[in-house]
Amino acid sequence: DLTGQIANFHFNHILLNAAGVKCQTTAELDQVLASPYSGSVVTKSATPMVRPGNPSPRYYQLPEELGSINSMGLPNEGFAYYLDYVLNKQTDKPVFFSVAGLTKDDNLAMLMELEQSDFNGLVELNLSCPNVPGKPQTAYDFEATRAILTEVFAFFTKPLGVKLPPYFDMVHFDMIAAVLNDFPLAFVNTINSIGNGLAIDPHTDTVVIKPKGGFGGLGGSLVKATALANVRALRERLNESIKIIGTGGVTSGRDVYDLVLCGADLVEVGTQLMVEDTPVFERLEGELANELDKKNYQSLAEIRGKLQTI
Ligand code: DHB
């Protein structure tokens, strides 16, 4: 059994796209959604109005399969485009609608529209975009995170989760969990990219992406240990009712297995989906099945959260 569950939503496959990858246009969303081994699709984080994003080059694949660096800057087709998509799409898969307003009021306005619409999937409130010049990552400010969730849950009744940035300090794990546990969240998604890394091209002695002087969010293999730590630390601290989507550093079925051992209910693929496109879902699920077979497990439930310490 390689299926997953969040709130009352059942997923026939554990893998999804990570928000931002293969999900900006209806053609991309359709491709991920129609992929036989995807659990569903997450829409590109929406702002109220269409945005072109940062200047290119704004995504770079690092050498030696280390991962990627990006500073996309929230290019998206605007909230109404994605609302139209999810309201009119015929699918049995439970869709995630991601919102990433640049202000609290923008987020509240989009969530109010989702609340009043017929949308019946899950909503992911992105509190962790590192790439918009001048805009901090909200979830690094624990009081700002509490403030927005307080206002959201004053009116929002549909299944809602938050996309978190990685944390690097045990006290910060305690602090964010204490905030999140005060709200009826359906899930948290951890991690977003490791914000504001820097990569250098040795031939030109220059940065590799144009925005922000070359600073950008890191993804892929080099973030795996941080993703595992965040899933594990949050699973140890969050209310049981708050499910966890594990994202970050997945290039093999073993990486999916490891995130589930740490407590992930679903797993998302970003950088490696850029590399391989949607066939990655079938390859990873096959490798995951082999990992379980090797250990004589029949289902993910047998390993979920069961990481052993020594
Ligand atoms: C972008 C990057 C993110 O990590 C995110 O959460 C939202 C948007 C971007 O640069 O487009």
Side-chain angles (χ1 to χ4, degrees), residues 203-250:
H203 301 293
T204 56
D205 291 357
T206 66
V207 298
V208 298
I209 56 173
K210 184 176 181 68
K212 296 175 62 176
F215 287 78
L218 305 174
S221 297
L222 81 169
V223 311
K224 178 183 170 181
T226 298
L228 293 178
N230 276 261
V231 170
R232 172 70 163 178
L234 289 172
R235 186 65 287 158
E236 290 177 324
R237 289 166 174 77
L238 292 175
N239 301 334
E240 234 186 287
S241 59
I242 304 179
K243 300 304 175 193
I244 295 187
I245 302 176
T247 304
V250 172

Side-chain angles (χ1 to χ4, degrees), residues 127-194:
L127 299 178
S128 49
C129 174
N131 297 338
V132 178
K135 295 288 174 186
Q137 293 166 264
T138 303
Y140 283 141
D141 181 336
F142 302 107
E143 280 319 303
T145 299
R146 178 179 293 283
I148 188 170
L149 291 178
T150 299
E151 291 196 48
V152 167
F153 282 109
F155 67 87
F156 201 81
T157 63
K158 297 180 178 184
L160 179 86
V162 289
K163 180 76 172 274
L164 298 173
Y167 298 95
F168 303 95
D169 187 296
M170 302 315 282
V171 171
H172 290 171
F173 290 132
D174 294 340
M175 291 172 76
I176 192 64
V179 171
L180 300 175
N181 279 335
D182 283 343
F183 299 96
L185 289 162
F187 67 93
V188 303
N189 188 338
T190 181
I191 61 173
N192 206 318
S193 57
I194 296 183

Side-chain angles (χ1 to χ4, degrees), residues 48-75:
M49 297 299 166
V50 61
R51 282 175 59 88
N54 291 337
S56 294
R58 58 192 188 178
Y59 182 95
Y60 185 86
Q61 204 73 41
L62 298 170
E64 300 174 48
E65 300 183 354
L66 274 174
S68 63
I69 182 168
N70 87 85
S71 183
M72 303 299 290
L74 224 31

